[in-house]
Structures are given as C-alpha cells and as structure tokens.
Amino acid sequence: MDSIIVTGNGPLNGQIPIAGAKNACLTLMPATLLSDEPLTLTNAPRLSDIKTMTELLRSLGAEVTQLQDGQVLVMSSHALNNHVADYDIVRKMRASILVLGPMLARDGHAVVSLPGGCAIGARPVDLHLKALEAMGAELELKEGYVHAKAPGGLKGGNVDFPLVSVGATENALMAATLAKGTTVLNNAAREPEIVDLADCLRRMGAQIDGDGTSTITIQGVDRLNGATHPVVTDRIELGTYMLAPAICGGELECLGGRIDLVGAFCEKLDAAGISVEETKTGLKVARKNGHVRAVDVTTEPFPGFPTDLQAQMMALMCTAQGTSVLEEKIFENRFMHAPELIRMGAKIDVHGGTATVTGVERLKGAPVMATDLRASVSLILAGLAAEGETIVSRVYHLDRGYEHVVRKLESVGARIERISGQ
Ligand code: UD1
C-alpha cells in the first residue's frame, strides 16, 4: 500500500488547476443508461472512483471509451445486456446505487446490490427506494440485492423527501425523466452537482424545472437523445486547495474556481482572516501576514458548509488562534481524522457529532493513517503545515477523489512525495 510523505516547507505560491467534480461525474455517467445514443462527458476527473463506475457500466453492457488521457468519456448504452449490478463492483463505491433509477426507467427492471463506500456512518439508501416507489416501482430486497420492477414503465408522482439527500435526489431525477407524466421532487437537494446533472439531462432532451431549488419538477418524455456535456468544477477539490495557503501561508490561485460553488465555505475563510479574491481565471486565496482566527462550523446540505470540507477545515483550525466548535450534521462517525490529527499534536475533543478544537502554535509531523477520502487529504494539509515529516499511509482512499495530488502540491512549492508499497 502506498504512502505519502509530506514535510512542512513554509508558504505555498502559484496556481493549481481544479478538476471536474468527482461527485458530478459519478452521477452523470449513469445518465448514459437512459439513452441508446452516445453521451460524451468532457472535463472528467482521472480518479479510481471513475474507473469503478466505468467497470460497473461496462458490466451492464455499456461501452465506455476514454479519450484525452481520461478527461473525455464517451459512453454508449445502445446494447445493454445485463441488468444486474453485482456486489463485487457495487461494494467498492456507494455511488453505484445511481444505476438503479436509470435502468429501471429505461427498461422496466433492474437488480442492484446494496452499496458499501466510505466508512462514515450507516449511509442507508431507503430514500432512493422510497422515491422510486412513489413513481410506481415494485421493489423487493433479497440477499443484499434490490430487485426493482416497473412492468408498465415508471409513472410520474410526488416524492416528499423527509431529509435532504444528494444521491436520492439524483436517482429520482434521472428516473423521472422517462416516467409517464409529471414528477415533483419536494425537499430536493440543491447541490451544484444536481444542477449539473439537470443541465446534462436537458441537453439529452429532458424537461426539468426548479433544479437548484428544493422543488424540482420533471415532465417525463418518451426517449432521451445523446449529448456532450462538460462536468462542473469540483467544489470539494477547490475548497481543499483553497485551504493549503490558509494553513501554510502564501498565495494560491485555484484555476476554474467559482465563488458560487463555495459560498458558505468562503464566508468561514473570511471570518478566519483568509482573503479570497475572484480573478478572471479562478479564485485567489491568501494568508498574507496575520494569524488564522478560530471559527465555528456546522455542516449542512448545500448552500450550507459542506460535510466534505469538514475534515480539511478541522486541519486549519488545529493551528488557529482560539477554540472552534465543528458540528457534523450530515454523517455520524465522520471525525475519524481527529485521532490522527491528535497524533500530530492537535488539541481536539470529540463528543458525538461535535468536535472542539483548540488551536496550538505548531503541529508536529507523525506517522498517520488515512481512514476515508476527505480525512486523508486533511492529514496531508496538516502535514504541509507541521514541523518535520508526516507519513500518511493507506492513501488509496485519496486516489478515489484527488487526481495528481502530489504533482499539484509540488508545483506550488510543497515538499511531498509518494512512496510505493509501504
Ligand atoms: C453524496 C456524496 C458524498 C457527500 C454527500 C454529502 C456522491 C457520490 N456522494 O453522498 O460524497 O459526502 O453527498 O454532500 O455524490 N440518507 C438516508 N437515506 C438515504 C440516503 C441518505 O438516511 O437513502 C442520509 C445519509 O445517511 C446522510 C444524509 O441522508 O445522513 C445525506 O446523505 P446523501 O446526501 O444521500 O449523501 P450521498 O448521496 O450518499
């Protein structure tokens, strides 16, 4: 298993290009299952999760071709010959459940294993299933698989989500594009990845209104056509690299960054004393002289502070002046980075979904273990600011969500290297 060695090396300066969003791409790819014409995605990120989704789509009979070193994905589902998403692939990645809605909508049947994914809580899929049932799907759970049928096709319906779920909104949105009649999704997620999916589906001929608000209305159509669609910028990769100069000092421009993708996060950076400036090409972030102030953070569905930036924000708060309270409201058990940061000298108390962080003058390098995707990158950020060497093991988590992390950080002055097989 590979490790990453980071040595604190002072301020970071320069530019980092931000890739297309993993979470958008993982929901755009299953949209190919809705049409027998090709769907082309540009600005796709090069990540192991994308490879897993490619493997899953191919196992269903879809053709997936990677062009331009994987930044362009050409997919065609004209000859689906299998409607079973197998446990061996699905267990690697929770987003696999997103093939359920499209397959069921197009062909009236699908069998999908219940997913695994990051170890950050129970993460059920009941809301996905309830939404499909509201559109007339008949579902049965057998031996770890969801068996779904809609013999006469899905029918438009009212879906009332009791809590906001990104994945369930995406599954329902895709399924509703081919359902007969009108579907209304109430209390829908408003994340930029949902808007990106709706944009792509509209290019394919779907009729969708209200994405980006909590009520989405879909008028079903008989068929969808092919399209070409650019994947939206990854707001989590963006926020992660924005934190690098905040933690280490210096000035970094994140190319392709947009304020509207990270509004609540930027408000917290501002309160912490970090400047963010919009440029023609992205967002410029600087911690010129002053210290970082402690700020409190509560994770919420978009447009609130994203749960996927909580671990990285905690790394910043470890050396801030004062005490900050971080509340995790989306996933239980999402503080697995805290004990690792403590190994580096951080002062953190975790009680249930609340972490209290008291800033220390300096973190110290230590061997630490990555436990999930966002936790791994928070340890790298902490290592960049620590005195001495930090060895982050189990970095395979990182490959799921950050392309070329070593290359990108090295190019702005970080001392970071990847070691194989340790
Ligand atoms: C997506 C992202 C993930 C991100 C999360 C929150 C993808 C592939 N994954 O995950 O990286 O961390 O949004 O931004 O895009 N819930 C249920 N029942 C369900 C579904 C969800 O109870 O059927 C609960 C979850 O346990 C959680 C909350 O709803 O407490 C929100 O989860 P959800 O928005 O669905 O997250 P994901 O779509 O899994």
Side-chain angles (χ1 to χ4, degrees):
M1 268 188 276
D2 291 7
S3 307
I4 285 182
I5 303 185
V6 198
T7 311
N9 191 34
L12 301 177
N13 289 289
Q15 296 179 318
I16 288 187
I18 306 300
K22 166 181 91 81
N23 287 348
C25 199
L26 287 177
T27 183
L28 292 164
M29 291 175 75
T32 182
L33 300 170
L34 290 163
S35 172
D36 56 8
E37 291 180 22
L39 173 63
T40 300
L41 298 177
T42 60
N43 197 36
R46 281 73 56 92
L47 302 168
S48 63
D49 270 9
I50 303 299
K51 283 195 192 130
T52 306
M53 185 58 85
T54 300
E55 196 190 337
L56 174 58
L57 292 175
R58 283 183 180 148
S59 77
L60 302 172
E63 289 163 19
V64 184
T65 312
Q66 296 184 357
L67 304 173
Q68 293 180 27
D69 190 30
Q71 273 185 303
V72 174
L73 300 173
V74 183
M75 296 168 291
S76 171
S77 302
H78 67 274
L80 291 190
N81 53 16
N82 171 30
H83 289 75
V84 182
D86 201 75
Y87 176 66
D88 275 344
I89 304 179
V90 173
R91 71 184 165 84
K92 293 186 197 162
M93 188 183 65
R94 195 182 147 72
S96 310
I97 191 76
L98 295 172
V99 302
L100 177 61
M103 267 200 293
L104 184 61
R106 177 163 150 206
D107 291 334
H109 61 108
V111 178
V112 178
S113 167
L114 291 169
C118 271
I120 54 173
R123 306 192 77 176
V125 292
D126 55 320
L127 302 176
H128 299 241
L129 305 185
K130 281 192 188 121
L132 296 173
E133 270 177 337
M135 289 182 233
E138 295 163 18
L139 304 177
E140 212 183 331
L141 288 181
K142 273 193 291 194
E143 290 155 4
Y145 282 76
V146 182
H147 293 249
K149 272 192 247 156
L154 290 174
K155 294 175 191 67
N158 263 329
V159 180
D160 295 307
F161 291 110
L163 54 99
V164 178
S165 160
V166 180
T169 302
E170 291 166 343
N171 232 336
L173 176 57
M174 287 190 278
T177 58
L178 292 180
K180 285 189 192 78
T182 307
T183 299
V184 181
L185 307 181
N186 294 308
N187 200 22
R190 292 184 279 165
E191 267 67 0
E193 293 75 24
I194 305 278
V195 176
D196 200 41
L197 174 63
D199 280 341
C200 176
L201 293 169
R202 273 190 289 265
R203 286 173 204 253
M204 295 169 74
Q207 292 190 13
I208 303 167
D209 281 308
D211 46 296
T213 76
S214 45
T215 306
I216 306 180
T217 307
I218 306 110
Q219 189 67 50
V221 294
D222 289 340
R223 62 179 299 278
L224 293 178
N225 44 259
T228 297
H229 176 82
V231 179
V232 68
T233 298
D234 194 319
R235 64 196 166 95
I236 307 303
E237 192 196 22
L238 170 64
T240 302
Y241 287 122
M242 286 171 76
L243 282 167
I247 291 184
C248 300
E251 186 176 86
L252 207 67
E253 187 182 7
C254 295
L255 300 172
R258 285 172 14 206
I259 290 272
D260 62 308
L261 296 175
V262 281
F265 172 69
C266 285
E267 281 169 27
K268 291 295 173 187
L269 285 189
D270 184 51
I274 308 300
S275 79
V276 179
E277 184 200 330
E278 277 189 280
T279 63
K280 284 199 179 112
T281 40
L283 294 180
K284 202 176 259 182
V285 186
R287 194 193 94 199
K288 283 182 179 131
N289 296 312
H291 287 282
V292 176
R293 289 187 291 273
V295 289
D296 295 342
V297 168
T298 302
T299 63
E300 282 168 322
F302 192 86
F305 191 100
T307 173
D308 283 348
L309 284 173
Q310 176 261 111
Q312 301 89 311
M313 191 68 179
M314 186 184 282
L316 175 67
M317 288 300 110
C318 286
T319 51
Q321 277 183 336
T323 298
S324 52
V325 177
L326 280 73
E327 264 190 273
E328 176 53 62
K329 295 260 188 176
I330 308 290
F331 296 114
E332 78 265 33
N333 199 18
R334 208 180 191 178
F335 286 132
M336 286 177 298
H337 40 286
E340 304 301 311
L341 290 168
I342 290 169
R343 292 174 54 74
M344 299 175 70
K347 282 195 184 157
I348 307 168
D349 276 322
V350 175
H351 288 288
T354 303
T356 306
V357 185
T358 304
V360 295
E361 192 65 35
R362 193 93 205 256
L363 293 175
K364 296 207 167 50
V368 288
M369 201 168 70
T371 48
D372 67 51
L373 170 56
R374 307 304 171 186
S376 0
V377 85
S378 77
L379 299 173
I380 289 183
L381 287 175
L384 289 173
E387 200 178 301
E389 201 175 78
T390 298
I391 304 166
V392 185
S393 57
R394 299 205 178 172
V395 291
Y396 59 87
H397 289 292
L398 203 68
D399 299 331
R400 293 187 41 220
Y402 291 89
E403 63 169 41
H404 306 316
V405 65
V406 169
R407 202 193 297 172
K408 286 186 182 183
L409 285 170
E410 233 172 11
S411 76
V412 294
R415 273 179 70 191
I416 178 166
E417 64 176 316
R418 186 170 177 134
I419 310 283
S420 321
Q422 298 201 12

